[in-house]
Amino acid sequence: RSDWSSDVCSSDLGRRGRANLADDMVVHSRSIGAAGAQLAIEAAIAEAKAIDRRLTIAVVDAGGELIALSRMDGAVAVSIDSAIVKAKTVVRTSVASSVLETMLNEGNYSVALMPGTVAMGGGVPILHEGAIIGGIAASGDTVETDERACRAGIEAFLARI
């Protein structure tokens, strides 16, 4: 009796080689690490302090999982959960969370139904070499202020890699 999986693999290996087969079956991705996330948060906080704002900043990895969070003294408590879900949103949707907010404000109510996301501006994807390697979000002020802090964090991170 023949094992069909070994027959398929054997014939594939003969034609394409083991390395090519593995490349087709395994996806390699890159993600922001804890040190990079902390650097981005520190820069975002510095920007918030420079404009006298109190924010919570969250950074998630390429899989959308939280790796760093900082709540500035005086930032409202609800900004913790808001920053986390905004950061997760940008990784899950591949766009800044303000894009979803704009879509909702223009009457596309279906964006409010996407699981695990929020249509609130203030989250920005972290891109490196054309790929999303994480997300950063701020919460506690206007969309413009939140995104300004996030962009300062991203710029500081990208300047160091």
Side-chain angles (χ1 to χ4, degrees):
R1 186 168 93 160
S2 174
D3 179 5
W4 70 269
S5 62
S6 64
D7 289 345
V8 170
C9 289
S10 296
S11 63
D12 265 354
L13 287 174
R15 288 192 312 253
R16 300 179 330 157
R18 184 175 298 277
N20 289 337
L21 181 61
D23 287 345
D24 289 345
M25 297 174 64
V26 177
V27 176
H28 300 278
S29 63
R30 296 177 4 159
S31 186
I32 190 169
Q38 193 58 47
L39 183 129
I41 283 180
E42 289 169 5
I45 288 173
E47 182 67 22
K49 285 180 179 179
I51 57 175
D52 197 28
R53 298 294 185 259
R54 314 278 183 276
L55 304 175
T56 297
I57 313 293
V59 176
V60 298
D61 62 19
E65 296 302 326
L66 183 68
I67 55 174
L69 175 80
S70 184
R71 178 181 170 209
M72 296 173 66
D73 291 339
V76 295
V78 72
S79 66
I80 297 167
D81 293 327
S82 295
I84 294 169
V85 73
K86 288 179 193 182
K88 289 178 177 242
T89 295
V90 302
V91 170
R92 291 177 176 169
T93 63
S94 302
V95 297
S97 60
S98 60
V99 171
L100 301 180
E101 182 178 29
T102 299
M103 291 171 66
L104 182 64
N105 291 339
E106 291 175 351
N108 186 347
Y109 303 115
S110 64
V111 300
L113 302 174
M114 290 189 290
T117 65
V118 65
M120 293 172 56
V124 181
I126 302 170
L127 298 168
H128 178 62
E129 296 179 351
I132 295 175
I133 61 168
I136 184 171
S139 185
D141 207 87
T142 65
V143 171
E144 293 78 20
T145 299
D146 291 351
E147 287 185 354
R148 178 176 171 174
C150 291
R151 293 192 193 289
I154 292 170
E155 288 172 15
F157 167 73
L158 293 176
R160 293 285 300 272
I161 58 172

